[in-house]
Amino acid sequence: MSPSTLRADARRNVDLIRAAAVQVFRERGLAVPLEEVAAAARVSKATIFNRFGGRVGLIDAVIDEVVAVELLGVIDEARSVDGIRERVASYVRAIRQLQYDLPAVNDVLLQEFPESEPLVALCHAGEEFHDELVAEGHAAGILATGVTAGDFQMLATDNALALKHGRTRPSRADYDRRTEFILGGVCPVATTVGNEPR
């Protein structure tokens, strides 16, 4: 086999592995056995190690297509929403929806693979946005007293743990209903009795 044929075969294998990884990681999460990625690509697991150096190298190669675009999109979309109360609500609903729909998001939020620099960078982007939300939310007086950026982070990670390791998956209706409960606690709406806020 000529060197050019070998190079073509190697490129084809890389393309097959990338496409398979995107599909499998999106459907099952980043911790799925590499044997499943190899089977979907119709290559050996050893070929994945030869071409990408292992799981973390493969995650780094496909993270944008698997989850980064969606996660950063949620942040960018929330930043474009007018009004801090609406911005918080938009973000919390969107991130929880993404967690429900895309298992790889939960692996990112749980920092399952801290050796992956792009994965850790996604977490930092989320943490920076949480800092923004909390600063603006407290300045506007719409957040419950004591809510911190860490609380936003833990709401997401607690949810990730429940979705990833919980014995039963909630129905979408129940999940969405609970999202509204969370928002009610984070951004309580003042009620009034007569003319007095309560």
Side-chain angles (χ1 to χ4, degrees), residues 46-150:
T47 301
I48 294 177
F49 278 84
N50 289 339
R51 300 299 174 213
F52 293 93
R55 181 184 302 278
V56 171
L58 183 57
I59 288 171
D60 290 353
V62 299
I63 194 73
D64 286 348
E65 298 161 88
V66 173
V67 69
V69 170
E70 283 93 339
L71 267 174
L72 296 175
V74 162
I75 293 172
D76 289 342
E77 182 67 25
R79 280 194 174 118
S80 73
V81 173
D82 290 332
I84 183 59
R85 182 182 295 277
E86 293 76 15
R87 194 172 309 133
V88 170
S90 171
Y91 172 71
V92 170
R93 289 181 183 125
I95 195 68
R96 281 178 57 85
Q97 178 178 325
L98 198 57
Q99 286 185 267
Y100 192 88
D101 293 337
L102 192 57
V105 169
N106 297 316
D107 291 322
V108 171
L109 295 174
L110 294 170
Q111 298 188 39
E112 294 281 13
F113 302 98
E115 320 90 88
S116 170
E117 291 182 12
L119 188 152
V120 171
L122 286 175
C123 293
H124 289 158
E127 290 165 2
E128 289 172 8
F129 184 59
H130 296 161
D131 288 337
E132 291 175 29
L133 285 182
V134 168
E136 292 177 35
H138 282 307
I142 64 95
L143 290 182
T145 303
V147 170
T148 68

